[in-house]
Amino acid sequence: MIEHFAFCGKGGVGTSTVTAHVGAALAEAGFRVLHVGCTPAGENRGFLNNGRIPATVCDRIRDGGELTVESVVGRGFGGLFSLELGSPLVGAGSAEELERAFQELEQAGLMAALAPELVLYDLSGEYGRTLLRSVRRHLPLVTAFVVTTADFGALVGVNNLVTLLTDTHPEASLLLGGVIPNHVGNTFDEAFIRDFARSTSLHPLTGIPTSLLVRQSELYAKSIFEVAPHSTQSYFYRRLANQIVDVAGEASGRKSAVALTTRELREWSKMWGERLHALENGLVTDGAAI
C-alpha cells in the first residue's frame, strides 16, 4: 500500500527544502519514493534531479504533450523520483487546474508505472490550502506535517493550517502527523515552537538547525547527503525522515490537534512577550525564560 505524506507551511519557512531532503533521506534508506512538487515555481526540479529540469505536468497538458515517465519524471539521489505540477496553478482557476493535473496523472498511469512506496507532496506557500483540498479529494489517506520557523507570523500560519486540517470535510481522510521546527538557531527557537505545539496538541518532531550547508547544496543542485553526507545537518534530516515514517503509523491514535482561538493566541503571544522582556532585562536566566 502506498503511503502519502503532505508537507504544508507558510511561504518562506522552508517547506520545500524540508520536503525534498526528507524524500532524499527516505530514498537513501532504501524506500521507493516519489516527490510531487505542488509549488507554482517548481523550485526543486533541478535540486532533485542533479540539475536536469523536466517539464511540469501542467506544461505538458498546456502544450498537448503526452504525460510519460520520460517527459515529466526526474530521478535523483538514491533513485528518488520527482515530478512538478507546475505554474498554471497560479491565480484564478488554480483549483480547477490542479484537479485536471491529478486526473491526467491518474489516466496516464504514472503512479502505477513508478510503483512508489511513499509519496511526498510539497504544499508550501499561499496556494497550499487550495492544493491540500485537492490532494485530500484524490487520495485515500494522507498524513500531513506542518513546517514552521520560530517567528510569530509563521506560527499564526500553523494555527490557520490546524483549523483547515482538522475540519470535518466529508471527503477528508487525513491524519495530522505533527509540526516540524525549521531554521532553529538556538534553544529559544525550539522552546518557542514546542510550547506552541503543546498548546495546540500538535506532535513536535525533530527540529532542523539553520545551516549554510543547505544553501551550498542547493547551489550545487544536489542534496546535502551528496555534498556533506557525514555532517550534523544530514543527521538531522535522516532523523526527521525516520520519525515521519514512524509517526505516520501512530497518528491515528494520537490526540487531535486543536487550533487556538484569536483570544487564546493573543494570550499565548503576550505570555511569551513577557518571558522575553524578563530575559532581555536580566530578570531571569535563559533556562528560566524558556
Side-chain angles (χ1 to χ4, degrees):
M1 183 181 72
I2 301 174
E3 290 194 72
H4 299 272
F5 301 146
F7 292 79
C8 315
K10 181 176 178 286
V13 301
T15 305
S16 294
T17 300
V18 168
T19 309
H21 275 98
V22 166
L26 292 170
E28 180 189 51
F31 289 99
R32 194 171 175 87
V33 182
L34 171 62
H35 175 284
V36 180
C38 302
T39 61
E43 52 270 275
N44 279 329
R45 281 186 288 169
F47 161 69
L48 290 170
N49 299 298
N50 295 317
R52 176 176 171 263
I53 310 293
T56 70
V57 172
C58 287
D59 284 343
R60 296 291 290 180
I61 293 174
R62 182 185 59 204
D63 297 337
E66 185 181 0
L67 293 179
T68 64
V69 171
E70 292 74 21
S71 65
V72 296
V73 178
R75 193 161 193 182
F77 172 75
L80 173 69
F81 296 111
S82 65
L83 61 85
E84 291 283 343
L85 295 184
S87 59
L89 305 181
V90 177
S94 60
E96 291 76 11
E97 291 281 0
L98 185 62
E99 292 289 334
R100 183 179 175 190
F102 271 110
Q103 290 167 5
E104 294 282 350
L105 282 175
E106 187 175 353
Q107 291 172 9
L110 289 188
M111 195 74 73
L114 296 173
E117 299 171 86
L118 309 174
V119 184
L120 281 58
Y121 300 85
D122 174 12
L123 304 175
S124 59
E126 59 182 303
Y127 295 101
R129 295 186 183 190
T130 299
L131 301 176
L132 181 60
R133 289 190 182 99
S134 292
V135 168
R136 293 170 74 171
R137 281 194 292 270
H138 283 271
L139 301 175
L141 180 65
V142 182
T143 303
F145 298 90
V146 185
V147 180
T148 188
T149 53
D151 65 271
F152 183 63
L155 291 177
V156 171
V158 172
N159 199 60
N160 293 337
L161 279 168
V162 170
T163 299
L164 173 67
L165 294 170
T166 55
D167 66 15
T168 54
H169 194 291
E171 298 176 19
S173 184
L174 182 144
L175 303 175
L176 190 53
V179 63
I180 301 170
N182 194 33
H183 296 310
V184 175
N186 50 51
T187 53
F188 170 80
D189 288 350
E190 185 106 16
F192 190 55
I193 295 171
R194 287 183 177 274
D195 187 63
F196 183 84
R198 180 194 59 77
S199 299
T200 53
S201 297
L202 272 169
H203 178 63
L205 280 77
T206 291
I208 303 297
T210 298
S211 172
L212 287 176
L213 280 174
V214 177
R215 186 175 299 174
Q216 179 187 359
S217 300
E218 292 173 342
L219 292 171
Y220 284 136
K222 296 180 181 295
S223 71
I224 196 169
F225 309 113
E226 298 164 273
V227 174
H230 304 298
S231 64
T232 301
Q233 192 74 10
S234 65
Y235 160 78
F236 280 106
Y237 281 120
R238 290 185 181 107
R239 182 181 178 190
L240 175 61
N242 288 335
Q243 280 188 332
I244 282 170
V245 173
D246 292 340
V247 164
E250 303 167 356
S252 59
R254 189 174 300 117
K255 181 181 178 181
S256 297
V258 180
L260 298 178
T261 64
T262 301
R263 179 178 178 180
E264 290 170 337
L265 191 59
R266 188 180 302 118
E267 291 174 349
W268 181 86
S269 63
K270 181 180 178 182
M271 178 266 294
W272 271 97
E274 291 172 347
R275 287 188 182 184
L276 280 179
H277 172 78
L279 179 62
E280 289 296 316
N281 288 277
L283 303 177
V284 296
T285 61
D286 183 44
I290 61 176

